[in-house]
Amino acid sequence: MPKLEFFLVCRSVQTDIITNETSFINVLEDITPEEFPYIIQRAMSVSLWNFEPSEARDDYQAALVVRIPGKREARFPMNLSFYEHRCRAIQGILEIPIEGPCDVTFEVRLNGKHEALHTVNIHPKEIRAAVKGGEPMPTSSPERMKRLTKTQS
């Protein structure tokens, strides 16, 4: 059975066409929206699977499962076929609606079996995403921005 090397969720992925090196841009861990409802415009899930030569050309069923509290889970199936020593699976999801603070979970399964979980914490707008619960967010009101601009000139 293929072995999962890693799984993460980020806003964007770039792969160098010459070296095949992959860059993950803005890994999603903590989001503090300015207001709710909020939409995660794009989430890219990336998983890397290693396999044995005897598993080459076998077909495996993978699924990305997204859970948002209070909503029905969304499943995104994919077939994994291995022709080399590993397989990189990338799935993109657009416009994930978030009604309020919660934990959004992304799970990857292989042939129906749980393999990994990635959690994105959606914080209340008053909390800055930080260790130990965060700290109050400074306001970005026009009045404050005007004061900041004045003091920096």
Side-chain angles (χ1 to χ4, degrees):
M1 187 70 105
K3 302 279 187 272
L4 182 64
E5 181 78 21
F6 67 79
F7 169 66
L8 61 84
V9 179
C10 55
R11 291 198 190 271
S12 188
V13 178
Q14 291 180 342
T15 303
D16 185 296
I17 59 172
I18 295 170
T19 65
N20 198 34
E21 293 175 344
T22 303
S23 297
F24 311 110
I25 301 159
N26 297 331
V27 174
L28 295 175
E29 297 172 291
D30 292 284
I31 298 175
T32 304
E34 289 190 17
E35 61 182 20
F36 290 102
Y38 174 75
I39 294 179
I40 300 174
Q41 293 296 325
R42 177 175 49 192
M44 306 293 291
S45 82
V46 185
S47 55
L48 183 68
W49 302 88
N50 294 318
F51 72 100
E52 299 297 322
S54 62
E55 297 170 321
R57 302 200 184 275
D58 288 347
D59 185 44
Y60 296 92
Q61 306 302 310
L64 174 67
V65 180
V66 181
R67 289 186 200 87
I68 302 167
K71 298 196 183 269
R72 198 178 79 191
E73 73 179 26
R75 301 170 64 86
F76 302 91
M78 158 189 319
N79 286 356
L80 298 181
S81 297
F82 298 91
Y83 298 100
E84 297 294 328
H85 64 286
R86 58 177 53 188
C87 174
R88 182 185 309 128
I90 301 173
Q91 290 178 289
I93 304 168
L94 299 175
E95 299 184 352
I96 302 171
I98 308 296
E99 298 300 323
C102 65
D103 288 344
V104 178
T105 58
F106 296 82
E107 178 189 15
V108 66
R109 296 178 185 170
L110 184 64
N111 292 341
K113 179 182 168 244
H114 168 83
E115 293 290 333
L117 193 68
H118 182 103
T119 301
V120 179
N121 304 114
I122 310 295
H123 297 279
K125 66 181 183 175
E126 300 81 19
I127 301 296
R128 174 170 303 185
V131 179
K132 298 193 182 195
E135 58 191 65
M137 283 282 288
T139 178
S140 59
S141 68
E143 295 82 22
R144 181 175 186 273
M145 296 309 291
K146 190 189 277 185
R147 283 194 314 270
L148 283 175
T149 307
K150 218 182 247 186
T151 59
Q152 292 176 356
S153 353

